[in-house]
Structure formats: C-alpha cells, structure tokens
Amino acid sequence: MSRPYNPKYDSVLGPMREPSPPPSSENPFSHDASFLSQLDPSRVDVADTEAALTHLFGDVVNQAQQDDHTTSQAEDGVNKQEMQIGLTDHQLQAEQSTPTLANQEVTTTESLPLSTPEGGESDANHILIDPSLADSETGSAEPTSLPGVPVKRKATSRANMLARGGACEFCKKRKLKCSAEVPSCSNCSKVGKECVYSQKKQRSRVRVLEDRLQELEKRLDPKNTTSNTANESPIQQVNITSNNNSTTNGNTDSTYDPTDYPTLSTFEFDHHLEDPSNANPVGVDLGLEPDLMTLADAAAADTSVEYQSWQGLSPELIVGEIIKAVSGGSVPGSDGKSVGEKIVSHLIQLYIGPPSLPVLHPAVSPTTLLSRLTNRHRPIHPSLLLSLIPFLLPLSPSQILHSPSIPLLIQTHAKGLISNAITNSDPRIIDIIAACTIRAYGFYEQARYFEGWTESASATSMVYAAGLHKLGRVGEKFISQVNIEGRTERVDREKKLRVILGKGVAVSPPIDRVELGERINLFWFAYANDRGGAAGWGWPSSFNDEEITTPWPRDDYDNDEALLDNRTITDFMDTTAPSHDDGSKDTLHAAHCKAITLFYHANRLFDMPSRLATPERTSRLIRLTKRYMSTSIPVRADEGIERSPRNEIRMTLHAVMCVLHAKEEIDAPPGSEREYFDKSIESTGKALEIIQNMQMDGNVDLDGLEITSAMLFHFFGRLMTKYLHKITPTNLQEWQGETLNNEKDIEVINDLLRKKEGFSNALETLGKRMKFANISCRLLDNIAYGSDFKMGEYERPDNMP
C-alpha cells in the first residue's frame, strides 16, 4: 500500500510555498510501515529513508517520527535483552555497565550520582559532565544481527504507548519499553531494580492558571517566605551532555516552563540591597520580611556549618550539584534546600554584595541579576549563571570550591547549554549574549586566547541579531510629555525606508527604560571585549563603527536627559564636530569604551594599505586623543587615586599616543624621525609613572587594574625590547645623522632598559592574580630572547621575505 498523492508535496515543481500546517495530535501524513517495507534493505537503509523523508516533509512528519522514536528505541532495548539470554550474571552485569552509543551519552572518567549525598547514590542515575573527557575507544553495544539471520523490526502501534516521558527512570535511562506497571514495571522486576516514576504530569491550561494564581497569592503573603522547591515535582533527569538536539530539561521547543528554571525562591539568599533611598531597586515584591542584615553582613554570616554540606564532595560531584541546581533538577534535602542550591546561593551572594566583580557589572549588574531571579515569568537562562560561577569560585572562603577542575567542567556544560539555546531559538538571547561575552572575558583572563576570540565573535553575531547595536533614539519612546525635536520627521523617513527593506531582529523591543539600559550596557561590554581582543591580536574587530547607533552607556536611565542623549561612537570619532565629549562627565564604562576605541584604531594603522593609513589619518587620531585627554578624568573621592580604575583609562590613552607617534616616526622624512621617537618614549614614561605612583601610594598589588592593563604592559614592554634591539651605539649614530658620545648612547639605552624592567615587574605583579598577565610576562621574556610569537601563532607572510 503506497502513500496517497498529496498535491502540496508531490507536485513536479516541488513543495508549494504555503504556510506549514500547525502541529496537531492527528498526523496529516501517517507513518505507513508498509510503504517503508517496500524498500530494498540491501540498497538503502530504512532509517536513512526515514531521515530523508523527515528532511523533505519535516513540518508534517516530525510528530509521527517523535512518537515512533520512543517505540523503536524500546524495541532495540528489548532485542538487547533477548541477546543477553544465556549470559552469566557476571557477564550480564558487565554488559549493562558498558557505556554505549545507544545511550546517546558520553561517559567521563567519573560519573555523578543523580541523588544528593544525603540520599545515597543510585546506579541507575548518573549525570555526565564533560563530553570532552569521553573514552574514544568505547564502542557501541547496539545488538548486531547473527550471521545469516537479519534482524527484522516488529510492527509498532501507538495505541498502547505511554505519554512522552511517562516511562520509569530505569527504562528511560536504558531506552527500554516500559510497561508502566505499579509498583514495579516488567523490566525493573527482571533485573531487580527499584522502579521510580519521576516524570512531571502534564497539567491542563486551567490547572496551570490555578497554580500560577496560587503562587502569586503565596508571594503576596509575607508569611510565606520559604522555598517552594519542596512542593514541586520530583527530580527530573538532567542530561549533561553537549547534545544539540535536546535541552537540559528534555524540552526541544523554543518555549520554556518558568517552573523548571532557577528563581529567587530557589536559592533563598539574603538580598536586601544597601540603598540610601531605601527604595526597592528591583521594583517587585520580593516576598521576604525586612531584615537588618545587608548583603555584606549576610556574606560574612555564612559559617562553616553551611560549608559542611559540600565539604566532603569531589569536584565532579560539586559540579553535578551546581548544574542540577541551575537547571531545575535538584532534589531538596531535609532542610528544604539541595546541596547545589546552597552552593549557588552562596556564590550569588558574593556577586550581589561585596566583594562582587565590578568588571562584569556592565554585562549583568547585581540589580539585574536579582530582578531576573525574582521574575518567574522571565526566568534567567542557566548558561548565564554558569558563566558567572567560575569568576565567583575564587572569592569563596570554602577552599573546596577553589579546585581548578570545577570551572573547567562548568564551562564545558555551559557551552552545551548555549549551543542548545541557539539551536532551539531560545527567546532569552540577551542572556545568551551576556553568557558568551562573560565567557570570552574569562577565556582571555585565563590566557586561552583563541577560545576567547571565537567566543567573542559568537557574542558579536548575536548582538547584531538582537539589534543591540541599533538602540539609538529608542529611549525617546519612553518619554511621553516632552516634544522631541525632529522625531516626527525621523519616524516618517524610517517608515519609508522599511517599505523597501525590512529590519528584523531576534528579540522583542525593550519594554521599559530599565531594560533599555541593561541592553545598552551589555552592548558596550561586548564591544569593549571584542575591540580589546582585536587590539591584542592585531586582527580586525567584528564591529563596524558606522553601523552603531547605540548611545554611550550610563549608570542609570531614570531621568529623561539620559534617554535623550543619543551621542554614539560616530559622534566621538568626528573631528569636524564641535568638541562635546567631556571626559569628566563620562561613566567609567563609557570612558573605557572610548579609550579602547582609540587604541584599536591606532593599532589598525599598522595593518592598513598605505593609501588608507595616511599621515593625515594619523594626525586626525592624534587630535581626537588629545581632545579627549584635555578633558580631565577626575578620580572620585570614594575611589582613591591609588586604586582608581580610571588609572587604566589614562594608561590606555598614553598607549594610544605612543602608537600614533611611532606611526609618525615611520612616515617621517629621513632625518626627522628622532622627534617622534622621543615623543613615543615620553608617552611610555607617563604610563609607567602612573604605575609607580599607585605603588608608592600603597597599592603595591596594583588593585583596580584589569586585563586591559596587562595587555598594555605587554605592549609597552615589547616596544621597549624592540627599540633596544634596534638601537645600539653604532646604528644610533647612523639613525640620528650625527655623532654622539658614548655617554649619550648609554643614557638612551639605560632609559629603555629601565622602562622595560618596570613594565615587566608590573606584569609580574598582576600575574599573581591573573593568568593572562603571568603568561604575558613569560612572553615578554621570550621576546627578549628573539621568540616573538605565542604557541600556535606564526609570522604572517605579507611582503616579508
């Protein structure tokens, strides 16, 4: 019996361009087993044919294929059991413990029990952590046909099939057909395993609304301050493999169930922000009674008793507990909180209160994180939490959390979550952008250069997809009682443009000024991360200045003035416009972005064609830099000159001038190079002076300086080393065109040696707390010995011999 003719799909012209039919329980294209049975197995495999049909008619047969998928896997499991007849008990046990490709999981060197340590381990439930640690020699244990006896698939029927996920844990784990008998199914009875049904029952729409109403009533009642974790359904199996075809909670839809993701009530940490105005910074009812403890007090109040809950666990078990907590699959302990939730609560406490990580606040501020954990209708994506956790682990007093293997395993799983989110078009793309950018920054900090570069490029591509680079004048729509000059004309022109070409993005527009501010700050964090990596590598940035309309970041957007200020990077780089970029009014984030922009453009002059990298272009950048430097960048009284992060901005601007004067030296007519060489070395000395002043004022460890400073110190040290190789008493006389005595030659060389040693020592100081700086210091030593490149990096040919 063949499939009936379908004019939509059987037309000789191919599938017609019609909207795909909506998914329904009744499949319009029935799965006809007799149709597939007509195929010759010797010429084409039935499974391959099904895959081809799915590729052609995926919008109408996906449901049927998913339904049959469970049945076919269950039959394969039954065949496997049939083949095991006649094996000894020992052989049977060995067969069951062998990792197989049929399980669709990659086994690591150590598997994690799904249950909490208090509840004991279960052989049937293991969480897999790192796919990269899999044993490559592990073979598949799929049943093979006996010689001369083909394995024939049994006819299937969906009449007696369970609902999706209705099988017990043992059958789901081994892809067996579950009889769903209570208290024990047939498979569990055969092998003597405990039969556990942990699937959450499907709720009707009415029940969902009733549950949400009940949840709101609980949150409005100040007496209900305990976690609702214990009232939720039992644990769901969490797949920790990097399988792009499934999400961590087993849901492949782009939608998500808010109850399956972490919320504030899940972690139960103290979150009373220290606010002088005593206003709620989140703008929602947190449902907790007032507490006199601030976040700093709460962090200090974490006693060793709390740490005892995870003190004896291995790093792999700790990672498993963290992943289950952020993925919504943890089981509450006797006190209502699982071990993973306690760990995550403790780490989040370190972020929303002192010591925190101010360098990451533009990506996700403590207030934003708090708000997202409170909002059950906009739950935070687990990958964002997992991207923050590796930064928070070293801040914890618990020494067990300092194991270097913990962040490695967490980063691996977070990458899988991000891939799944992209594959399934998860609507929380803003969270994914923040996660990728934070991960890129972390990779750079760990001197994992190439990983950081590719992760940053991934974030940049999603920045464009989400339209974060086109937020100019978006804030005007949140101002209702102000007549904005020229807005009507701009709107009319934009409407005409969109008649010709639509402008779609992957996320909906911001709903209020708070969300707009979050997106603006996230964009500039991703921008600075990309431009800093590009300057460090000497490669082009993924951003184009002319495409950016997003205004410079601000600390808050509560006033209309902030929403009406649409100055952006093109205004800053325009030398013909009147000077209006006052550095004294810039936020720290905005000043950093402007400084790194100038440094990037100065570096690009050395990799552009000569017809573009003209002396006029160099002069224009010098005017821009001097204009910005002329506006003072004051140090706030609460910062202190010796620890001010603005010292890093000053050093960046001096580095810009050093690069531009070096370019002037190259372009200068013969005989006039010395003037620009002296200016370049002078700029280097000003940067070194800032370092020395910080240490003389008591900041010996150079606190307040981040990865940008390490990149600058390496640049300065490398330049001094190259000048030392270039300038010797012999060729120095030829270069200057005059005769110099030895004392003058020695003075120049000693000055270069002193500066090189100063930057090398500064790198070594930063290297005590930053691996990037430590590796950069070693690279600087290699350059002194004539080895210029990092591992895996080669000299680019260009016009070099």
Side-chain angles (χ1 to χ4, degrees), residues 167-360:
C168 70
E169 288 298 311
F170 179 78
C171 293
K172 282 194 296 185
K173 184 71 175 177
R174 285 156 179 77
K175 313 301 181 191
L176 301 178
K177 184 175 182 180
C178 184
S179 62
E181 297 172 357
V182 178
S184 180
C185 71
S186 58
N187 292 326
C188 292
S189 300
K190 290 179 182 178
V191 296
K193 291 289 183 180
E194 180 184 3
C195 192
V196 179
Y197 297 93
S198 61
Q199 174 63 23
K200 183 190 298 183
K201 294 183 178 180
Q202 300 295 328
R203 298 179 296 171
S204 65
R205 183 175 181 83
V206 176
R207 180 60 185 274
V208 171
L209 294 176
E210 290 176 348
D211 290 346
R212 289 184 179 177
L213 179 60
Q214 185 179 7
E215 176 65 25
L216 290 175
E217 291 175 350
K218 289 182 180 179
R219 292 177 61 188
L220 292 175
D221 186 358
K223 296 180 180 180
N224 293 324
T225 61
T226 58
S227 172
N228 63 352
T229 308
N231 297 327
E232 294 180 356
S233 61
I235 185 172
Q236 295 181 359
Q237 183 176 351
V238 183
N239 184 14
I240 313 301
T241 58
S242 300
N243 188 353
N244 292 343
N245 297 325
S246 62
T247 58
T248 55
N249 63 348
N251 186 2
T252 57
D253 296 330
S254 61
T255 59
Y256 50 85
D257 183 1
T259 62
D260 288 339
Y261 290 95
T263 63
L264 189 67
S265 59
T266 304
F267 299 121
E268 287 186 343
F269 52 86
D270 185 58
H271 56 273
H272 297 282
L273 287 178
E274 199 170 9
D275 189 354
S277 64
N278 293 326
N280 185 353
V282 181
V284 295
D285 182 11
L286 301 182
L288 297 177
E289 294 184 1
D291 195 335
L292 298 178
M293 295 175 62
T294 62
L295 288 176
D297 298 330
D302 283 338
T303 62
S304 60
V305 176
E306 184 74 10
Y307 303 152
Q308 292 299 325
S309 58
W310 65 79
Q311 193 64 32
L313 301 183
S314 66
E316 290 77 11
L317 285 174
I318 289 177
V319 172
E321 292 295 331
I322 291 175
I323 290 173
K324 286 188 290 184
V326 302
S327 301
S330 58
V331 174
S334 58
D335 56 354
K337 264 175 96 174
S338 69
V339 175
E341 288 170 355
K342 292 178 181 179
I343 298 175
V344 175
S345 301
H346 167 64
L347 295 175
I348 292 177
Q349 188 79 8
L350 298 175
Y351 189 76
I352 62 177
S356 194
L357 293 165
V359 69
L360 299 181

Side-chain angles (χ1 to χ4, degrees), residues 677-696:
F677 170 79
D678 290 340
K679 289 182 178 180
S680 180
I681 298 301
E682 182 182 0
S683 297
T684 303
K686 291 179 179 178
L688 183 59
E689 186 178 348
I690 293 176
I691 300 173
Q692 294 171 342
N693 289 338
M694 291 177 65
Q695 293 181 321
M696 289 176 60

Side-chain angles (χ1 to χ4, degrees), residues 456-495:
S456 178
S458 178
T460 303
S461 64
M462 287 186 285
V463 162
Y464 281 124
L468 299 190
H469 65 304
K470 294 290 187 181
L471 295 177
R473 303 194 180 277
V474 173
E476 294 177 355
K477 75 175 187 176
F478 302 118
I479 303 175
S480 57
Q481 299 180 0
V482 178
N483 186 15
I484 302 173
E485 181 182 358
R487 178 166 175 79
T488 303
E489 292 76 9
R490 289 195 302 272
V491 171
D492 291 341
R493 181 178 183 274
E494 189 65 29
K495 288 180 179 179

